[in-house]
Amino acid sequence: MEYKIFINNPWQENTVVLYDGTGEAVVIDCGCFTREEGKRLQEFLTEKGLKPVALLNTHLHPDHVFGNRFMLDAYGLAAQASQEDEFLLEHAVEYAAMLGLRGTTPPPALGGYLKDGDTVRFGDSSLEVIAVPGHSPGGLCYYNADAGLLVSGDVLFAGSVGRSDLPGGDGKALIAGIRSRLLSLPDEVRVISGHGPMTAIGEEKIHNPFL
């Protein structure tokens, strides 16, 4: 399984494309805010001959769902995420404005719900859904054991963890979830976070001051 990361929108959010030799792909946290960002993603998919078959969200804060409308219009894909985060979509425009970003449009409704233990399949690959609430009530991570790859959203960062002072946040639950669900993964597992550089589980065990 291969991956491509695009850095999108004013909050420098990581949009992730996962794909394999079959040509099928999933897009995780499509944060495309401008037409140029959407075009860049579309050109990559076309150049690689990829067919996106699923749109996934780790959580539903505005910077991670800006591109959900684009994916629905361009590929007919409605996002899948946790039902626990669905309330955030209703306030996405207001929330983005509070954080200084105006001119946003309401994101489309979810097309399906995911929960802990679910499996998302595409091509010859699959992703295990791991629920880690705390940054948001419905925070989800996506893990592929064969590739040793985890998409953590805003749960775990290189040297940090997600903030928990946003609506529905819970700092104790976040730390407990990271320790029990993520740090139990093999040390060599690479982590694609929702913002910033990649890291590895082993690195965070040793160097993350929050853990």
Side-chain angles (χ1 to χ4, degrees), residues 81-205:
S82 171
Q83 190 173 11
E84 297 295 320
D85 267 12
E86 195 168 29
F87 76 99
L88 293 169
L89 293 180
E90 302 173 13
H91 306 286
V93 173
E94 175 187 359
Y95 181 48
M98 288 174 55
L99 296 176
L101 192 60
R102 302 185 182 276
T104 61
T105 56
L110 293 177
Y113 300 127
L114 294 170
K115 63 183 185 304
D116 188 65
D118 283 348
T119 300
V120 177
R121 303 184 190 280
F122 63 101
D124 292 330
S125 303
S126 64
L127 298 170
E128 176 189 349
V129 179
I130 302 174
V132 185
H135 175 65
S136 71
L140 302 177
C141 301
Y142 300 99
Y143 175 54
N144 181 278
D146 292 337
L149 189 68
L150 176 77
V151 179
S152 69
D154 288 1
V155 168
L156 179 66
F157 299 110
S160 188
V161 298
R163 58 188 295 184
S164 56
D165 60 338
L166 302 173
D170 184 329
K172 290 183 178 179
L174 178 65
I175 297 299
I178 293 172
R179 285 175 171 163
S180 64
R181 303 304 307 280
L182 302 188
L183 297 190
S184 60
L185 299 174
D187 286 354
E188 63 270 18
V189 169
R190 297 164 296 163
V191 180
I192 302 176
S193 302
H195 305 265
M198 292 183 66
T199 184
I201 293 296
E203 286 291 314
E204 298 314 304
K205 283 182 180 179

Side-chain angles (χ1 to χ4, degrees), residues 45-94:
L45 294 171
T46 300
E47 176 186 331
K48 290 289 187 179
L50 300 177
K51 177 186 177 182
V53 297
L55 172 62
L56 311 177
N57 278 122
T58 60
H59 63 295
L60 298 177
H61 286 151
D63 51 328
H64 292 255
V65 303
F66 283 140
N68 283 10
R69 172 62 64 183
F70 163 75
M71 290 298 295
L72 182 61
D73 291 345
Y75 299 102
L77 296 175
Q80 302 175 60
S82 171
Q83 190 173 11
E84 297 295 320
D85 267 12
E86 195 168 29
F87 76 99
L88 293 169
L89 293 180
E90 302 173 13
H91 306 286
V93 173
E94 175 187 359

